[in-house]
Amino acid sequence: MRDRITAFLVLLPSLVAVGIFVYGFIGQNLWVSFTDWGKNPAQALALRPELRFVGLENYRELFTGFVDVRFRQSVVNLIFFTLFFMGGSLGLGLLLAVALDRGPKGEGFFRTVFLFPMALSFVVTGTIWRWLLQPQGGVNVLPTLFGLPPLGFPWLTTRAQVLVFDWNQLPLYTAFVVGLVLLYLGWQAHRAGEGKRRFWSLLSASVLLLWAFTLGRHVQLLPYPEPHGFSLALVGVILAAVWQMSGYTMALYLAGLRGIPVEVLEAAKVDGASEWQTYRHVIFPLLAPITLSAMIVLGHIALKIFDLIFAMAGLDYAPTDVPAIYMYLLAFRGNQFAKGAAIGILLLLLVAVVVIPYLASQLKKEVQR
Amino acid sequence: MRKWLLAIGVALGLNALAQTGKLEIFSWWAGDEGPALEALIRLYKQKYPGVEVINATVTGGAGVNAKAVLKTRMLGGDPPDTFQVHAGQELIGTWVVADRMEDLTALFKQEGWLQAFPKGLVDLLSYKGGIWSVPVNIHRSNVMWYIPAKLKEWGVTPPKTWAEFLATCQTLKRKGLEAPLALGENWTQQHLWESVALATLGADGWANLWSGKLKFTDPKAVAVWETFGKVLDCANKDAAGLSWQQAVDRVVQGKAAFNIMGDWAAGYMSTTLKLRPGTDFAWAPSPGTSGIFMMLSDSFGLPKGAKNRQNAINWLKLVGSKEGQDTFNPLKGSIAARLDSDPAKYNAYGQSAMKDWKTNRIVGSLVHGAVAPESFMSQFGTVMEIFLQSKNPQAAANAAQAIANQVGLGR
C-alpha cells in the first residue's frame, strides 16, 4: 500500500504536467478550431480577441471552400508521400538488411554507412538533396560520367502531376478504401473463426460499398471539378526522405534477422525449402511485427513532415505542399488561427488513426501475457 | 575614478540627460543588412550612452521568421520596445486594427516629418486619422535590370511597354536565348505580377484595386493575368528552384536578358558581384511604369505597452532624422525616405532612384506589405499557385476576389 502511494506521488507531477501541457492544450486547440479567430483582422491579434463559436465551419471550408484548394492538394500530397515514403523505406531497408545478413566483407563499415543518414536532421538532408537535385547539376549530370547526355528532369520544380482525380470523388474513394479494409478484417475474422466479428465487419463493409457505388458517386463537394494528383515534384522529396530513413529500417530488420533462431532455418532446410521459399514462408512472416513497428514510426514521421520540405522546396511552393506547411502559412503568416488549429486537429486525427490501433494491439498483448 | 567617468558620461550625453534603462530593437536585419543596423545603433549609443541597447534580430529574408516570433511575443504580452515592419498595410492591417500600436502623429508634427517625407508616403502610413510608423528607408519594386553590353550584342533595346517586351522576347528567342526573362521562386513571381499589374492598370487603377473600388474580377484586372501569362512564357521553367540572387545571376551570366526585381538587386550586383552601376549593369522602370515609383519601406513603430517607451521614442526620432537615414541607407543599399538627404553619399543607382523618388508618382507594393494586409498577402501566394497550375486568368481573378472579400480588403 505504501509503495503504491509513493509510486502515485512520484508520478503525480508528470501526470499533472502532461494533463495540462498535452491534453489541456489539445483541448484548447480543439476549441479554437471551432471559433472564427482570424476571420476579422481587427480581432485576430487584439489583446483580448473576441472569439465566436462557429462549429465545424473551418473544417467545411478546408474541404469544400473555394480558396482552400491548396489545402486539398496538400492532403493529396500527404497521402502519396506517406505511401511512397513508407514503401520505399521498408523495401530498401529490408533489401539492405538481407544483403548485410549474408555477411559480406566489411559488414560493419556498410552498416555504419547505411545508418549514418539517420544521424542527420531533416534540415541538413533537405539542404544536401536540394543541391543534388538542381536542374543543371547533381543527379541530372550523373549520366555524363558514362558519356551519356545529362538528364533534364526538373526534380523539385516540375508542376506535372500523375494519377489525377477529381476531388469530388473523395467520398467515393474513402468509402471504397475503408470498405476494403473492413472486408479484409472480415476475412481475418473468418479465418480465426470469430463469427460475431465476421458478421459485423462484412455487414458494415457491404453497406459502405453499396453506398459508395450508389449515392456516394453523386456527392458533390464542390460545384466544379477540381483535379488533384500526385505531384512529380514530390519524387525528389521522397528520395531524400527514403535515403534518410531506410538505414533505420535496415537496422530494425537486421536485428530481426539475427534474432531468428538457427534451428528454424535448419528445419526449413531439412524440409527441402529453397532459399526463396525460406524467405517467403519462414523469414518474412517472422519479420512482420518489426514491419508493423517500423510502419508506425515512419507513418507518424510522414504525417508530420515539415522540415524536410521547408529545406528542399521552401514554404511557398504548392506542388510540394503538405498540411503541416499550409497550417504554418495560414496561422503564422496569414493570422488565420482558427483554420490553422483545424488543420492541427486533422493532423492529430490522422496520426491517431495510425497509432491507436497499434497501441491497442500492444496493450492487448500485454494483458494476455 | 568613478566620479571622473560620470563626468565624462554627463558631458557626452548632455542632450540625453540621465536617459538610462534599456531599449530592445526587434528586426530581421542580419547578414548583409546587419552592418547598416549596427551603424544606426552606434549612433544611438553616442547620443544616449546610458541606455543599454538590445539588438533582438531574428534572421530570415523579408522577415519570414521574425514576423512569427513577433506575433508570439505580442500575443504573449511581451512586446519589444520597437520593431521593424514593412510600412503601410502590413502594419496597419495586422497591428493597428488590433489596437496594438501608438499613434505617432504628434511625433511627426513635432519633428517636422510631414514636410520631410513626400505626401504619397505619409498617405500610405496613415489610417483612420493616425500615422503609425516611422520609415527609415525606401526601396523601389518596379525596376528592370539588364547588362547593356549583352543587349548591344543581341541588338535589342530595353522595352518600354509589355507589348514591346513580348516582341523583344520573341526576337531574343529566335536568337537562341531560351528564357529571355530570369525569374525565381514564388514571391519573385508575385513581384513580377505587381509590375505587370501596375503597367496594365495604371497608378490610379492599382490604388483602386486596394481600396476596393476596382474588383479583381473586373475585365481590366483579369487582363493583368492574361498579360502575366504571356510574360511567363518568356521566363525560365525552373523558376521555383531559384532564389532572387540566382535569377539576377542568370542575367549577369548572359543566360537571360532581363530581370524584374527590387533595387536590392543593385546592392547585390555592386557590392557582392563588384559590378559598376550604370556601366556594367543598368536599369529602367519595369515596362509601362515610367514616372511611377512603386515603393516599399522598412519602418519602426511603437507598440502599446512598450517597457521603455521614452527610449523607443528617442530611437524613432533618430530613425526619422536626416543624420540617421544617411547613416543607414548607403550601407543598406536603399535610399532615404526623406526628401532632403545628401546624394553624395549614394552610388549612381541610388542617386537616380533619389531623383525619381522626388518627382515620380508614388504607389505602394503588394508583395512587400505596403498596400494589402498580411491576411491577404499570405493567401495571394495561393492565388499565384492556382494561376501557375491552371493557367486560367479567370480562376485566379475569382480566387483573388474571394480572398479580398474574406479579409475585407479596403474596408
Side-chain angles (χ1 to χ4, degrees):
Chain A
M1 189 60 203
R2 259 190 73 183
D3 271 3
R4 288 205 154 186
I5 291 173
T6 327
F8 178 74
L9 284 178
V10 169
L11 282 178
L12 190 65
S14 55
L15 281 181
V16 171
V18 168
I20 295 172
F21 294 108
V22 177
Y23 297 101
F25 284 169
I26 289 177
Q28 196 201 11
N29 195 56
L30 186 67
W31 155 246
V32 168
S33 78
F34 290 141
T35 68
D36 67 341
W37 194 6
K39 277 272 149 50
N40 178 1
Q43 290 297 328
L45 292 159
L47 205 53
R48 305 212 179 288
E50 287 169 25
L51 308 185
R52 282 187 313 132
F53 181 81
V54 294
L56 292 170
E57 176 65 17
N58 289 312
Y59 297 89
R60 194 191 60 76
E61 266 182 25
L62 285 175
F63 282 98
T64 61
F66 179 49
V67 290
D68 283 302
V69 42
R70 196 165 159 181
F71 171 75
R72 299 189 279 273
Q73 178 63 49
S74 77
V75 170
V76 175
N77 280 347
L78 182 70
I79 292 169
F80 281 115
F81 175 80
T82 308
L83 285 179
F84 288 112
F85 166 62
M86 287 213 296
S89 298
L90 290 175
L92 190 62
L94 183 60
L95 211 70
L96 292 175
V98 168
L100 282 187
D101 188 43
R102 325 199 99 206
K105 241 185 208 162
E107 187 204 323
F109 171 73
F110 283 114
R111 215 168 40 202
T112 318
V113 166
F114 294 144
L115 199 54
F116 179 68
M118 222 189 100
L120 303 173
S121 82
F122 267 130
V123 174
V124 178
T125 310
T127 310
I128 297 169
W129 277 88
R130 193 184 63 224
W131 293 336
L132 285 177
L133 297 178
Q134 274 175 359
Q136 268 108 30
V139 175
N140 277 354
V141 295
L142 266 187
T144 56
L145 291 180
F146 311 103
L148 298 169
L151 294 175
F153 189 68
W155 288 97
L156 293 171
T157 53
T158 174
R159 285 184 181 274
Q161 292 192 334
V162 291
L163 304 172
V164 176
F165 68 97
D166 184 356
W167 181 255
N168 288 309
Q169 308 274 303
L170 183 79
L172 174 70
Y173 289 132
T174 316
F176 189 63
V177 169
V178 174
L180 282 183
V181 169
L182 285 171
L183 269 184
Y184 174 74
L185 288 179
W187 183 63
Q188 276 208 324
H190 174 70
R191 279 188 17 168
E194 291 178 46
K196 211 166 145 195
R197 205 151 66 107
R198 179 181 60 191
F199 174 73
W200 285 113
S201 309
L202 291 183
L203 183 71
S204 31
S206 45
V207 168
L208 207 58
L209 288 176
L210 195 70
W211 175 85
F213 285 107
T214 52
L215 295 172
R217 285 174 65 179
H218 304 292
V219 174
Q220 281 279 335
L221 291 175
L222 295 159
Y224 44 85
E226 188 181 277
H228 289 297
F230 173 48
S231 306
L232 288 182
L234 271 179
V235 173
V237 182
I238 292 169
L239 267 180
V242 168
W243 178 82
Q244 165 119 1
M245 292 312 290
S246 55
Y248 163 75
T249 47
M250 177 208 71
L252 284 185
Y253 277 131
L254 199 57
L257 286 170
R258 296 278 152 88
I260 294 174
V262 188
E263 295 84 13
V264 176
L265 298 178
E266 279 169 356
K269 213 176 249 171
V270 169
D271 284 346
S274 71
E275 196 146 16
W276 168 243
Q277 280 172 328
T278 315
Y279 274 113
R280 170 77 184 74
H281 295 289
V282 179
I283 296 178
F284 289 160
L286 283 172
L287 291 178
I290 291 177
T291 309
L292 188 64
S293 357
M295 275 171 76
I296 302 302
V297 172
L298 295 176
H300 91 266
I301 289 178
L303 293 175
K304 296 190 302 191
I305 194 88
F306 175 92
D307 34 8
L308 182 69
I309 294 174
F310 183 106
M312 288 186 80
L315 290 175
D316 298 302
Y317 189 53
T320 55
D321 211 354
V322 289
I325 284 180
Y326 192 58
M327 170 175 77
Y328 178 86
L329 288 183
L330 273 184
F332 293 103
R333 260 204 221 162
N335 305 333
Q336 308 273 332
F337 296 108
K339 238 185 208 175
I343 297 178
I345 292 293
L346 289 171
L347 281 176
L348 181 73
L349 288 178
L350 272 176
V351 173
V353 164
V354 175
V355 174
I356 286 181
Y358 174 73
L359 288 181
S361 76
Q362 291 292 312
L363 219 61
K364 220 159 115 193
K365 248 186 231 162
E366 257 162 52
V367 170
Q368 277 168 0
R369 256 181 231 156
Chain B
M1 177 72 182
R2 190 170 287 169
K3 259 187 202 160
W4 183 69
L5 272 180
L6 198 70
I8 289 192
V10 170
L12 280 174
L14 269 181
N15 56 347
L17 279 177
Q19 227 6 279
T20 54
K22 291 177 182 175
L23 171 68
E24 187 183 17
I25 303 164
F26 186 95
S27 79
W28 59 78
W29 283 323
D32 288 348
E33 296 162 324
L37 177 64
E38 277 156 26
L40 207 52
I41 290 177
R42 260 199 306 282
L43 200 62
Y44 184 85
K45 279 184 182 155
Q46 273 170 27
K47 287 182 190 259
Y48 310 100
V51 178
E52 184 194 340
V53 179
I54 303 163
N55 180 359
T57 300
V58 177
T59 58
V64 283
N65 304 326
K67 283 181 209 163
V69 175
L70 180 67
K71 265 170 221 168
T72 319
R73 286 191 59 172
M74 294 281 271
L75 286 173
D78 177 30
D81 294 320
T82 180
F83 61 84
Q84 177 195 2
V85 64
H86 283 140
Q89 284 296 322
E90 186 177 309
L91 173 74
I92 291 163
T94 307
W95 297 113
V96 175
V97 293
D99 195 24
R100 292 301 200 96
M101 303 303 292
E102 286 199 34
D103 183 0
L104 300 174
T105 312
L107 190 65
F108 267 69
K109 285 190 178 138
Q110 180 197 329
E111 299 287 312
W113 288 340
L114 290 172
Q115 287 75 46
F117 299 131
K119 188 179 172 302
L121 174 62
V122 176
D123 286 347
L124 283 169
L125 300 171
S126 304
Y127 172 76
K128 287 209 173 149
I131 306 176
W132 300 96
S133 65
V134 182
V136 58
N137 66 359
I138 296 294
H139 276 297
R140 187 176 191 172
S141 155
N142 59 325
V143 193
M144 180 172 69
W145 307 94
Y146 56 91
I147 307 290
K150 292 276 179 198
L151 291 201
K152 212 173 193 181
E153 204 180 302
W154 289 315
V156 294
T157 51
K160 296 262 189 305
T161 64
W162 284 110
E164 210 178 293
F165 176 90
L166 293 173
T168 310
C169 164
Q170 291 312 319
T171 314
L172 288 169
K173 275 189 174 174
R174 272 196 300 275
K175 296 199 172 169
L177 202 63
E178 205 180 309
L181 180 69
L183 193 60
E185 59 193 309
N186 189 297
W187 75 264
T188 71
Q189 294 159 15
Q190 296 175 38
H191 190 110
L192 173 65
W193 183 87
E194 71 179 13
S195 276
V196 174
L198 180 60
T200 316
L201 299 171
D204 290 323
W206 176 255
N208 288 341
L209 199 59
W210 306 111
S211 63
K213 278 186 218 143
L214 181 69
K215 296 261 179 258
F216 284 89
T217 44
D218 189 284
K220 272 184 274 174
V222 177
V224 173
W225 292 100
E226 280 159 15
T227 311
F228 181 64
K230 287 180 201 155
V231 172
L232 275 188
D233 288 338
C234 294
N236 44 311
K237 300 285 173 264
D238 59 349
L242 302 184
S243 65
W244 70 265
Q245 288 99 333
Q246 286 171 313
V248 173
D249 286 342
R250 286 181 67 91
V251 176
V252 172
Q253 291 158 3
K255 288 183 197 161
F258 304 108
N259 177 234
I260 309 280
M261 186 35 61
D263 54 13
W264 42 93
Y268 174 63
M269 284 188 276
S270 58
T271 312
T272 311
L273 302 181
K274 308 270 182 263
L275 299 176
R276 277 166 304 156
T279 46
D280 292 342
F281 72 91
W283 57 89
S286 65
T289 64
S290 79
I292 311 176
F293 193 113
M294 187 184 260
M295 58 126 310
L296 58 123
S297 163
D298 293 300
S299 67
F300 283 90
L302 186 60
K304 284 189 175 168
K307 285 186 254 348
N308 305 291
R309 190 167 172 279
Q310 189 53 47
N311 289 345
I313 290 175
N314 289 341
W315 169 257
L316 294 180
K317 282 183 187 166
L318 177 70
V319 159
S321 69
K322 183 163 183 279
E323 189 189 8
Q325 302 215 336
D326 279 345
T327 305
F328 179 85
N329 286 304
L331 288 170
K332 166 82 164 74
S334 47
I335 62 167
R338 295 176 69 103
L339 295 167
D340 59 356
S341 83
D342 179 6
K345 297 194 158 156
Y346 298 82
N347 68 14
Y349 171 75
Q351 286 171 5
S352 112
M354 283 164 85
K355 213 171 78 205
D356 288 347
W357 176 239
K358 281 176 198 160
T359 53
N360 279 4
R361 166 88 188 263
I362 294 171
V363 297
S365 149
L366 161 69
V367 187
H368 306 283
V371 289
E374 256 183 333
S375 45
F376 181 88
M377 271 160 55
S378 68
Q379 297 196 65
F380 190 73
T382 304
V383 177
M384 185 54 71
E385 290 292 338
I386 291 175
F387 180 74
L388 293 173
Q389 193 69 46
S390 68
K391 294 275 150 88
N392 182 342
Q394 194 64 50
N398 290 346
Q401 188 57 43
I403 294 168
N405 293 341
Q406 189 194 319
V407 305
L409 195 70
R411 253 188 279 136

